[in-house]
Amino acid sequence: YTQWRIVSPEALLVSMPSCDGFIAQIWTGTARTPNVYQGVRRERTFETAFLEYGIMQELTRGTGREMWFLHDPIEDNPRYSWSDYRKNYRSTVVASLLHPGVSQYEVCPWPRRV
């Protein structure tokens, strides 16, 4: 989200009084954004999604609140092909499944878009 210049008050999540849980909205749009690692700037969808899901999982650890990981198969960018969406969607899904502390998922939240 930082790379997209989106500001979100994640730190305030734990102090919200009337909330049972949260949905971690990670999708290919944010996860595919190129970033720099060891001096090389490139798209790292799996790695970025893994880190984004992990951050959200940690924000609710010990709070007694539920966390759902969102699995959005596409983004609002017509430049990409369906095969590209599929590849990146699978990367984000696999990244989310590697977090054993979360076992609830919002799958295809906007089915009419697909």
Side-chain angles (χ1 to χ4, degrees), residues 14-107:
V14 296
S15 63
M16 295 177 77
S18 61
C19 181
D20 296 329
F22 306 97
I23 298 171
Q25 188 173 354
I26 286 81
W27 76 99
T28 59
T30 58
R32 75 162 63 238
T33 302
N35 54 57
V36 178
Y37 176 69
Q38 294 187 342
V40 178
R41 182 177 188 79
R42 72 174 179 87
E43 191 175 290
R44 294 178 175 83
T45 304
F46 170 80
E47 296 89 339
T48 304
F50 181 79
L51 292 171
E52 288 180 340
Y53 283 120
I55 290 166
M56 293 306 294
Q57 175 185 275
E58 292 304 309
L59 284 172
T60 57
R61 185 184 301 272
T63 66
R65 296 193 175 148
E66 308 248 6
M67 174 61 72
W68 286 265
F69 283 166
L70 177 125
H71 293 156
D72 189 0
I74 65 170
E75 59 186 278
D76 299 319
N77 189 335
R79 290 184 308 161
Y80 299 113
S81 66
W82 281 108
S83 62
D84 180 79
Y85 283 137
R86 183 175 30 256
K87 175 181 140 287
N88 284 287
Y89 173 65
R90 288 177 177 169
S91 292
T92 60
V93 169
V94 170
S96 76
L97 295 173
L98 294 174
H99 291 281
V102 175
S103 60
Q104 300 176 108
Y105 308 94
E106 183 178 14
V107 179

